[in-house]
Amino acid sequence: METAPQTASNHHPQFQIEIDVVVFTLRENSLQVLLCCPRSAGQWQLPGVSLRTDAGLEETAAGCVTRFTGLHEAYLEQLYTYYKPGGNVAAVVYFALVPADSLLKDKDESAANWFPVNDLPALVPNHDEVLVYALRRLRYKLEYSAVGFELLPENFSLSELQSTYELILGEKLDKRNFRRRILQAGIIESTSHRRAGEGRPAQLYRYRPDAVAEVKARRLFP
Amino acid sequence: METAPQTASNHHPQFQIEIDVVVFTLRENSLQVLLCCPRSAGQWQLPGVSLRTDAGLEETAAGCVTRFTGLHEAYLEQLYTYYKPGGNVAAVVYFALVPADSLLKDKDESAANWFPVNDLPALVPNHDEVLVYALRRLRYKLEYSAVGFELLPENFSLSELQSTYELILGEKLDKRNFRRRILQAGIIESTSHRRAGEGRPAQLYRYRPDAVAEVKARRLFP
DNA sequence: GCAAAAGTGTTACAGTTACACCCATGG
DNA sequence: CCATGGGTGTAACTGTAACACTTTTGC
């Protein structure tokens, strides 16, 4: 990475690098994504910033999330790097999960908004594709890792967790099987809090950050 | 991707983009990786080229594989993008699988060589890490997709396929279970060829490119 | 006391694993 | 005819999916 790659010529083309972030959250009973509409573009697009030479990729993505949501900790993962030949700007796309009810700050400056993933506005070219890919990755990841907690506040009830999974996967789940599995996996622990409301109060749980989140799935091959 | 991202300033830092490729193959009964040692660096590193403005990322990676192995078709997948703050070159890393016995061409020009993944030379900084990640991804991918065929010639026996899996996963597999599963999955078809040698001749199979390769694994969550 | 959400076990079924012998060919 | 690698089925087990009622609270 530090040394020049070996090519015939010695001068290398220069590119601009843009970090885009697909930020998901749960709002209004649906999975939503953060989009912004800068005046210069006049069209909705993923929030993004230009990479500076003195900043890391993930660091920059995290800064972008903070700037648009005000949150300082979010689940972040590199998704894909795009480059369209003929241009001179490459886009490194991250995806992020932020807890429910993360409010937008700087609303006017950033002109950003949440949109349900099933009801998106027209987007800048290629961002549709990126979004579809991010969504696929999120669903996929949900099936073999513990990523669902990132969309919930620190303390949550099992019913809330189940709804999260149902919303993202788009299917209903069996309550008893869901509880058994999630508890057996040992990735959450109960807290001393309970949430009152209509009906019987719910036991609240917390994610155990020390838990080993990825689990070996059944293999097809061999 | 085309429009400028919104930042305060209007001038953007410029970077060089390097495409590196982790090329795996099976040779001498082990999983091996392609490394090169350009005169300028004097140290082993992943083969890489500088991105040109008029070329796509995957296209460039494919060209890199061709240049070092002589092969024109290889399984390619984007792995990760790295950037070390303070530098000005980002590296987009791909991983590639090439069939057994892919010979190196241009041996002297490229100064490249195959190394068993368990016995690597000292590498340029950060490439160790990249390689470890690539290997993890390969093992992982092998478990839920049909990627193993990419390391074999067009026609192969079931025993050869099984050895491939065993070599990569680093564990022995049950012959009968292996065969049942791979055949049930319907991703290979028998050909009219057989391979003679010591012992009973083996039926040769071929990968069905139309097969749906990715299969839903058992979920932990929900 | 009733509406509303939380919590709790068991059984049938499907898929996975473990395992040992016969077959076809070349020398 | 024998050495070598190729090819084949079954039984025990483990994990998964389906399913309905009782409990606790607020009003």
Side-chain angles (χ1 to χ4, degrees), chain A residues 175-193:
Chain A
K175 183 160 64 161
R176 282 178 288 190
N177 292 339
F178 180 81
R179 283 163 188 249
R180 181 169 351 106
R181 262 155 110 152
I182 220 91
L183 291 174
Q184 267 180 9
I187 52 179
I188 61 177
E189 57 191 11
S190 54
T191 67
S192 53
H193 304 121

Side-chain angles (χ1 to χ4, degrees), chain A residues 7-168:
Chain A
T7 46
S9 92
N10 273 335
H11 106 285
H12 301 294
Q14 299 286 302
F15 298 85
Q16 193 189 130
I17 296 180
E18 179 185 317
I19 310 289
D20 292 331
V21 188
V22 184
V23 188
F24 288 110
T25 200
L26 291 177
R27 267 170 50 96
E28 301 162 351
N29 234 31
S30 70
L31 183 64
Q32 306 207 350
V33 66
L34 185 63
L35 296 174
C36 65
C37 189
R39 210 167 287 253
S40 55
Q43 216 180 153
W44 292 99
Q45 60 182 244
L46 294 172
V49 296
S50 193
L51 181 66
R52 295 184 344 193
T53 44
D54 60 348
L57 299 176
E58 183 159 335
E59 178 191 346
T60 303
C64 182
V65 172
T66 303
R67 173 163 155 210
F68 283 94
T69 65
L71 288 172
H72 286 276
E73 292 227 28
Y75 177 84
L76 258 184
E77 183 180 319
Q78 197 185 101
L79 195 64
Y80 206 79
T81 299
Y82 295 88
Y83 173 67
K84 183 154 152 234
N88 73 323
V89 42
V92 181
V93 183
Y94 277 77
F95 97 159
L97 302 178
V98 304
D101 308 317
S102 298
L103 291 180
L104 294 175
K105 76 166 196 188
D106 253 353
K107 193 139 188 188
D108 34 38
E109 191 252 321
S110 57
N113 243 310
W114 293 110
F115 291 87
V117 292
N118 297 320
D119 185 19
L120 296 171
L123 294 176
V124 143
N126 161 275
H127 280 192
D128 316 81
E129 169 194 349
V130 173
L131 231 152
V132 167
Y133 181 52
L135 192 54
R136 185 155 62 94
R137 177 102 145 229
L138 172 60
R139 292 212 169 103
Y140 196 75
K141 198 157 180 83
L142 204 66
E143 300 197 349
Y144 66 86
S145 80
V147 95
F149 309 93
E150 308 290 346
L151 292 162
L152 288 171
E154 196 189 333
N155 293 320
F156 51 85
S157 71
L158 287 179
S159 299
E160 289 166 345
L161 184 58
Q162 184 174 346
S163 311
T164 303
Y165 276 87
E166 289 176 339
L167 268 174
I168 299 175

Side-chain angles (χ1 to χ4, degrees), chain B residues 21-39:
Chain B
V21 188
V22 185
V23 188
F24 289 110
T25 200
L26 291 177
R27 267 170 49 96
E28 301 163 352
N29 234 31
S30 72
L31 183 64
Q32 306 208 348
V33 65
L34 186 63
L35 297 174
C36 65
C37 188
R39 212 167 286 254

